[in-house]
Amino acid sequence: MAYLDHNATSPLRPQAHAAMERALGLQANASSVHRAGRSARALIEEARAEVARLAGASAEQIVFTSCGSEANALALWGAVERTRESGPPVGYLCVSAMEHDSVLRTAAQIVDRIPGLRIVVIPVGRDGAVDIEWLRIFLDSADARTLVAVMAANNETGIIQPVGEVIDMVREADGLCLVDAVQSCGKFASDFAADYLTFSAHKLGGPQGAGALVIKEGAPFRAQLVGGGQETYRRAGTENVAGIAGFGAAAKVCRGDDLSRLSRLRDGFEAELRFRFPECVIFGEDVARLPNTSNFALPGLPAETALIALDLDGVMVSSGAACSSGKVRASHVLEAMSVRPEIARCALRVSLGWNSDEADMDVALVSLEKLAARMAARRAA
């Protein structure tokens, strides 16, 4: 089989598995003061240090969560509510048109519940990057404090965003900035000077069910989940010691990944796609992308058909479309890039990771070629 869906979940690394087994063997609450409790606490703090190194932050800035979606929601709600208590309050939530649903839907929820707060959508160019000039003009003219949310790299296309420029502009405007680094984590430098930064363990070979929010020193924040004093009162609840330990181990080992190897695999795959399917459309091929991601379309080959056929051949990829109750809607990311609907419906995403190899690419290409031949024969019949 060929697993080529690392952007959805990267398989658990052996080092993360071992760290989780060690943690599960403790069977203690990290808040307990006895020896076993202190051992559990030590594992959490070791992991916190590793995640902080990956983020280019201090350990004190790390708040462990259950996932990247929770981290995004925690940052948005925490910033808005805190600034309403001790201003200046956030008056605009400015999000790009291609953000993850955990940002888009949370922003919409906040605006719906807080009177006077407005949501503004940053347009995206055909190249898949946020429109920097549009954002500059908006920030110059905004009559209230703005919280800008932009992902470091898009989860579907892999296109890298001009995060540094965004952060500088937001800082000059006395705004706040959330950077969703869930997909870019471990694939390029994550030491952004954003007010809030989010990660998720399972995107880099850690376990599902563990994430992190990095809060810059001095950034406004109000806890949303209260109870005990875990995470220095910023996120209550008994810690997922095994998940956090696995997260830390994955964060440590991913820093040694050979990303140029993934880039070579991806580029070779796309070159073969071009050779075998001249009509192929590769999204973002002329701009900076994550080294492991290829989002492409074979016109006339619907994504839902391709996904089923590839799966039967043991090839696991994702589609650029979101499926719900048997219905398919075009990717909001490709829609934001003004991709024609008939092309967007054919979008497939191949994403590589720590255990991907040349054989995976060959299997995927052969399967696609077989499927295209069957489709052509069916049309000719």
Side-chain angles (χ1 to χ4, degrees):
M1 296 198 301
Y3 184 84
L4 298 171
D5 200 19
H6 285 256
N7 283 12
T9 286
S10 192
L12 193 66
R13 296 176 188 255
Q15 298 90 338
H17 188 281
M20 293 178 73
E21 282 193 323
R22 178 186 170 198
L24 289 169
L26 291 176
Q27 299 179 347
N29 191 311
S31 296
S32 298
V33 297
H34 50 60
R35 182 182 306 174
R38 294 197 305 274
S39 295
R41 172 58 55 193
L43 291 184
I44 290 176
E45 298 313 317
E46 287 172 16
R48 196 185 308 277
E50 294 298 344
V51 173
R53 289 189 187 97
L54 188 63
S58 66
E60 293 75 19
Q61 294 173 294
I62 306 297
V63 177
F64 284 119
T65 66
S66 65
C67 59
S69 290
E70 185 199 341
N72 283 329
L74 189 58
L76 290 169
W77 275 108
V80 169
E81 291 195 342
R82 181 57 181 165
T83 61
R84 286 170 66 84
E85 294 173 345
S86 56
V90 168
Y92 291 101
L93 287 180
C94 195
V95 300
S96 90
M98 63 181 173
E99 293 304 302
H100 189 270
D101 276 349
S102 63
V103 168
L104 293 174
R105 297 183 68 178
T106 299
Q109 183 187 64
I110 295 172
V111 168
D112 185 55
R113 294 185 183 181
I114 298 181
L117 189 62
R118 290 154 287 181
I119 189 168
V120 179
V121 178
I122 310 168
V124 175
R126 290 182 180 273
D127 62 356
V130 294
D131 189 329
I132 284 289
E133 286 310 308
W134 184 97
L135 179 59
R136 190 188 310 278
I137 292 170
F138 173 78
L139 290 172
D140 286 343
S141 62
D143 58 0
R145 195 176 195 183
T146 302
L147 195 167
V148 176
V150 62
M151 51 176 40
N154 185 258
N155 51 307
E156 291 186 23
T157 64
I159 294 172
I160 295 171
Q161 300 302 310
V163 173
E165 291 181 69
V166 171
I167 293 172
D168 289 344
M169 282 193 293
V170 173
R171 182 178 293 113
E172 289 176 11
D174 194 31
L176 298 168
C177 190
L178 162 63
V179 172
D180 178 346
V182 166
Q183 205 57 248
S184 65
C185 179
K187 302 182 183 100
F188 72 90
S190 297
D191 54 345
F192 307 115
D195 298 285
Y196 314 96
L197 188 64
T198 57
F199 294 144
S200 187
H202 72 108
K203 303 296 187 180
L204 48 87
Q208 297 174 8
L213 168 62
V214 186
I215 305 174
K216 183 179 177 181
E217 185 177 356
F221 178 78
R222 179 183 177 185
Q224 300 300 300
L225 189 60
V226 297
Q230 295 89 351
E231 299 304 297
T232 57
Y233 291 94
R234 294 171 296 183
R235 197 262 189 187
T238 303
E239 297 95 339
N240 174 11
V241 180
I244 291 170
F247 189 0
K252 180 178 182 178
V253 72
C254 81
R255 296 199 298 274
D257 284 349
D258 183 359
L259 298 178
S260 63
R261 181 184 72 86
L262 297 183
S263 184
R264 289 193 297 272
L265 284 175
R266 191 270 311 277
D267 292 348
F269 173 76
E270 290 184 344
E272 279 296 316
L273 272 180
R274 285 284 190 206
F275 178 74
R276 302 184 194 203
F277 308 100
E279 74 282 11
C280 177
V281 177
I282 299 174
F283 304 110
E285 63 178 329
D286 297 324
V287 296
R289 287 179 292 164
L290 295 177
N292 76 317
T293 305
S294 178
N295 191 235
F296 62 93
L298 302 181
L301 179 58
E304 61 267 34
T305 300
L307 287 174
I308 294 169
L310 289 168
D311 186 51
L312 290 172
D313 279 348
V315 179
M316 288 157 277
V317 302
S318 286
S319 169
C323 302
S324 178
S325 301
K327 297 181 180 180
V328 176
R329 61 177 175 86
S331 157
H332 74 282
V333 174
L334 298 183
E335 183 179 0
M337 292 170 61
S338 301
V339 175
R340 299 198 311 274
E342 66 272 20
I343 299 297
R345 283 194 293 269
C346 299
L348 295 171
R349 182 189 68 188
V350 162
S351 51
L352 316 177
W354 63 272
N355 62 352
S356 300
D357 58 25
E358 195 75 49
D360 295 328
M361 318 313 295
D362 292 341
V363 170
L365 287 163
V366 169
S367 183
L368 283 169
E369 207 164 34
K370 285 165 50 184
L371 175 58
R374 289 199 301 271
M375 294 288 288
R378 190 177 303 168
R379 286 192 291 266

